[in-house]
Amino acid sequence: MKKSYEQFIARQELLKKQYDEAYYEKQHKRGKLTARERILLLFDEGTFEETDAYTPPANASFGKTVKAFGDGVVAGFGKVNGRLVYAFSQDFNVLGGSLGSQHAAKIVKIQDLALKTGSPVVGLIDSGGARIQEGISSLNGYADIFKRNVLSSGVIPQISVIMGPAAGGAVYSPALTDFIFMTADTSYMFVTGPNVVKEVLNETVTTEDLGGASVHGTKSGVADFVYNDDENTILGVKQLLSYLPSNNLETAPVHQKDVSKEKTEDRLRYIVPEDPDKPYNVKEIIELIVDNGKFLEVSENHAMNIITAFARIDGHSVGIIANQPKVMAGTLDIDSSVKAARFINICNSFNIPIITLEDVPGFLPGTDQEHDGIIRHGAKLLYAYTNATVPKITIILRKAYGGAYIVMNSKGIGGDFSFAWPTAEIAVMGPDGAIAILYRKELTEAEDPAALKKELTQTYRDEVTNPYIADEKGFIDEVIDPALTRSKIITCLDALRRKTVLRIDRKQGNVPL
Ligand code: HXC
């Protein structure tokens, strides 16, 4: 064998040695898969091509370096569900997955290739953050990554998967991406850790309570998806990718049509209760409308008064936004407005039509909401719906009151089609509020105020809130039989397939932040 070839083989052997049994064991003991196992799990079998496998860590002045190939990150590309995807996976076994200059350069190379080729990027994060001994070089590495996160935003899907620590300024790369996954119990994200919290505020808090998946999947809403272990988290990423196009110039892959569904679905007539104050679970309606009854919820356990989910209708990806009457009567508050606005922006970036299922009594009243800025945050939802140019269809299931009616994709702000079920109530406010304001004097003077209120409520429903008024005035397109909702959506999506919207050129709109 030629000497040059022997050298080549010897180098390969050295790399293999690095990934010995002890390497795997160390990470498995932490309840986690290794960086390499994770990335192999992400890609279709045999398709992963690694880049920069031999990169060593840069020399650092403050001691503590290791001789390790790859500089703590496995990077490359391959196929996910048959489509090209770029990915990197941080290796906690090498200097705690910390980001040195070479490590950053590997990630940047992946980001640049993904942007040039219009392919999604998946980052599997398991890192102690900026590599301390490399000082400014490692900080600058983050700057290089952040910049590409921003320039790729709205062009290619970017997905961050937190599978270990993500601390300090390092959390801002995931925050700039489209979706954040977290693995329960083994991952956490915070800007300042428990030690600093103790020092500065004298507060004692655990890592989990400060920034674990249980916090970010519910309270903060930072994590869009939480799964219980590494395997399921990566399966979740693959599932999400199946709903998304590779970039902003394409549409999501079309799947087989669900032929099992009948044209009419009688059960849809009986889910919304006759009593307008009774709650129901809007997920039952979603299941009956979408292909195979399957949908993937985004931020499932955060702001549960609104549902945001990807699904398919007639094989095409759609984004579903639905008020959830089961939680807080489906009112819009700060968290649900921001959650839905963010989801709309993602659908709009990636050419995914939006279906809105509306049953909203209004914005949540109260000093907390007002003082925390419901005006500004509610405006985000209004802005996102109005700004979105993808096909937009609304079905008003029951309540559509006040500003919330306008915000939830009314035709006035640019909804393409708007339909109402016979149970719909569309007005400035519900009967109670309206009667209290308009008939206060009469009610106080009435011999039988309860009887008068009952009569006024009926008149209000007959004369003001019923959907036939909105239908006749053209504010909605039709009052439909609930059983025909799916077939109506299919017909309208088809009619909107070539929708184009031209807007006045501007540097940027001033999104309410
Ligand atoms: C260099 C690091 C490191 C880092 C961990 N290691 N973090 N090396 N730079 N940032 C090394 C450790 O020295 C150790 O090496 C190995 O990784 C494993 O770390 P342990 O501490 O033993 O593991 P564990 O107990 O699980 O704790 C993990 C940890 C902790 C919570 C992540 O290591 C930690 O707090 N690290 C520092 C986190 C941090 O503050 N980073 C800076 C964030 S600010 P040996 O050789 O012993 O195995 C930031 C700025 C970004 O990132 C800038 C953007 C603008």
Side-chain angles (χ1 to χ4, degrees):
M1 203 191 295
K2 280 219 172 91
K3 199 162 171 237
S4 56
Y5 190 70
E6 277 170 14
Q7 237 176 357
F8 169 77
I9 296 292
R11 196 164 168 260
Q12 280 191 333
E13 290 304 317
L14 268 180
L15 183 66
K16 270 191 208 150
K17 250 194 201 163
Q18 178 168 312
Y19 300 108
D20 59 9
E21 222 170 274
Y23 166 88
Y24 284 93
E25 227 172 70
K26 210 166 151 191
Q27 180 79 337
H28 290 171
K29 267 195 196 145
R30 302 182 181 113
K32 306 194 276 191
L33 294 178
T34 65
R36 194 161 288 277
E37 285 172 314
R38 288 168 175 167
I39 211 163
L40 288 174
L41 206 57
L42 173 70
F43 288 114
D44 300 346
E45 208 180 331
T47 66
F48 175 55
E49 291 289 330
E50 189 167 356
T51 51
D52 301 320
Y54 292 91
T55 306
N59 288 327
S61 51
F62 191 60
K64 271 240 166 183
T65 193
V66 287
K67 280 204 157 182
F69 292 120
D71 198 17
V73 61
V74 182
F77 57 92
K79 299 282 172 72
V80 175
N81 309 322
R83 292 189 299 151
L84 183 66
V85 169
Y86 284 81
F88 62 89
S89 178
Q90 293 181 308
D91 188 343
F92 194 80
N93 275 352
V94 179
L95 294 169
S98 59
L99 185 130
S101 54
Q102 297 277 60
H103 179 126
K106 285 180 67 171
I107 295 176
V108 162
K109 191 187 267 189
I110 289 300
Q111 290 180 299
D112 286 343
L113 279 164
L115 189 58
K116 273 193 280 194
T117 59
S119 318
V121 179
V122 178
L124 307 171
I125 316 285
D126 190 354
S127 169
R131 187 169 301 156
I132 297 160
Q133 53 272 47
E134 283 196 43
I136 181 71
S137 305
S138 54
L139 290 182
N140 192 60
Y142 272 117
D144 288 338
I145 293 168
F146 296 164
K147 181 171 149 194
R148 282 157 181 84
N149 285 140
V150 173
L151 296 179
S152 300
S153 177
V155 183
I156 50 173
Q158 300 181 83
I159 299 174
S160 301
V161 192
I162 319 298
M163 308 185 90
V171 293
Y172 284 111
S173 172
L176 291 168
T177 62
D178 300 303
F179 299 99
I180 296 181
F181 285 71
M182 287 185 82
T183 308
D185 303 327
T186 47
S187 71
Y188 52 88
M189 296 178 82
F190 37 65
V191 175
T192 44
N195 293 342
V196 179
V197 171
K198 178 76 188 164
E199 246 171 63
V200 178
L201 300 166
N202 198 27
E203 257 177 47
T204 307
V205 65
T206 62
T207 301
E208 182 63 29
D209 287 346
L210 187 62
S214 54
V215 170
H216 289 313
T218 55
K219 204 170 163 50
S220 77
V222 165
D224 301 292
F225 300 96
V226 174
Y227 290 90
N228 59 354
D229 59 20
D230 282 15
E231 282 92 346
N232 283 308
T233 306
I234 289 170
L235 283 177
V237 174
K238 292 172 83 137
Q239 203 189 344
L240 172 65
L241 281 166
S242 76
Y243 289 101
L244 304 175
S246 296
N247 57 63
N248 65 328
L249 300 178
E250 297 179 9
T251 46
V254 181
H255 285 237
Q256 264 193 339
K257 292 179 182 199
D258 176 6
V259 287
S260 69
K261 277 212 148 72
E262 300 290 336
K263 205 165 173 329
T264 53
E265 175 52 81
D266 291 353
R267 279 176 294 174
L268 284 168
R269 294 189 186 129
Y270 309 107
I271 296 173
V272 175
E274 280 295 321
D275 178 352
D277 295 327
K278 267 207 172 147
Y280 60 92
N281 187 356
V282 76
K283 290 188 195 180
E284 287 177 34
I285 295 177
I286 301 175
E287 269 172 26
L288 293 173
I289 290 173
V290 302
D291 289 4
N292 307 305
K294 261 178 57 181
F295 57 97
L296 175 66
E297 263 195 83
V298 181
S299 277
E300 185 177 359
N301 295 312
H302 169 69
M304 291 159 78
N305 42 336
I306 205 153
I307 310 274
T308 50
F310 291 111
R312 290 188 189 89
I313 294 187
D314 217 26
H316 296 272
S317 275
V318 293
I320 308 258
I321 297 179
N323 306 114
Q324 172 59 290
K326 215 177 83 157
V327 180
M328 294 161 62
T331 46
L332 284 173
D333 61 349
I334 291 173
D335 284 349
S336 58
S337 300
V338 174
K339 171 177 162 178
R342 193 174 151 73
F343 184 70
I344 292 165
N345 288 346
I346 286 170
C347 290
N348 193 43
S349 298
F350 296 116
N351 310 313
I352 298 172
I354 298 165
I355 312 293
T356 301
L357 302 178
E358 179 171 357
D359 186 349
V360 60
F363 281 98
L364 183 66
T367 40
D368 281 355
Q369 289 287 306
E370 297 292 349
H371 293 184
D372 289 345
I374 182 79
I375 297 173
R376 189 172 67 250
H377 298 295
K380 290 178 182 171
L381 182 56
L382 180 54
Y383 196 105
Y385 262 128
T386 312
N387 192 50
T389 55
V390 286
K392 295 179 284 189
I393 299 172
T394 305
I395 315 287
I396 302 173
L397 310 176
R398 191 167 61 173
K399 293 171 190 159
Y401 285 139
Y405 153 71
I406 296 293
V407 169
M408 292 297 294
N409 196 37
S410 59
K411 282 178 82 78
I413 62 164
D416 296 299
F417 287 109
S418 196
F419 302 103
W421 284 5
T423 37
E425 300 173 16
I426 310 167
V428 174
M429 60 182 71
D432 286 353
I435 292 164
I437 292 168
L438 296 179
Y439 290 92
R440 187 171 39 196
K441 204 162 147 252
E442 288 82 345
L443 280 169
T444 35
E445 288 168 2
E447 266 179 41
D448 186 351
L452 178 62
K453 192 175 171 200
K454 198 172 165 203
E455 187 194 324
L456 287 170
T457 302
Q458 194 51 51
T459 314
Y460 187 73
R461 287 199 199 288
D462 293 344
E463 293 181 7
V464 183
T465 69
N466 77 71
Y468 304 103
I469 299 167
D471 187 1
E472 283 159 25
K473 291 187 175 178
F475 293 122
I476 60 169
D477 297 291
E478 196 184 339
V479 179
I480 59 167
D481 177 351
L484 293 172
T485 304
R486 175 178 156 87
S487 53
K488 196 58 130 179
I489 293 173
I490 291 174
T491 310
C492 291
L493 282 176
D494 199 43
L496 292 168
R497 204 76 68 202
R498 278 181 288 149
K499 178 185 173 188
T500 11
V501 177
L502 295 175
R503 292 262 165 90
I504 295 169
D505 195 21
R506 58 182 168 181
K507 191 166 179 195
Q508 70 163 70
N510 197 358
V511 183
L513 290 175

